[in-house]
Amino acid sequence: MAVTAKIEGNKLIITADLETPTPSASGKTLVVASTRGNKATDVMIDGKPVIIGLNAYIKK
């Protein structure tokens, strides 16, 4: 899944591809976008990459 990030002014803008809804590990929700853990981005703050952990889901 592609996740991109950029800084516009004082905002971090994250863009993620939507996936076909799939059951979460618990089975309580349907995941529609996820980084599947923490991922480093190309965005730098104070010379360090911004790390993103993203989970987007809907109720079953």
Side-chain angles (χ1 to χ4, degrees), residues 29-51:
T29 60
L30 297 172
V31 178
V32 295
S34 178
T35 56
R36 310 269 192 282
N38 297 327
K39 304 292 180 192
T41 67
D42 293 334
V43 175
M44 303 293 267
I45 296 180
D46 294 334
K48 299 175 186 170
V50 173
I51 310 293

Side-chain angles (χ1 to χ4, degrees), residues 5-41:
K6 63 183 176 180
I7 294 176
E8 287 185 4
N10 198 29
K11 296 186 184 285
L12 175 65
I13 309 297
I14 301 168
T15 304
D17 291 340
L18 289 175
E19 308 169 356
T20 301
T22 55
S24 64
S26 69
K28 295 179 182 177
T29 60
L30 297 172
V31 178
V32 295
S34 178
T35 56
R36 310 269 192 282
N38 297 327
K39 304 292 180 192
T41 67

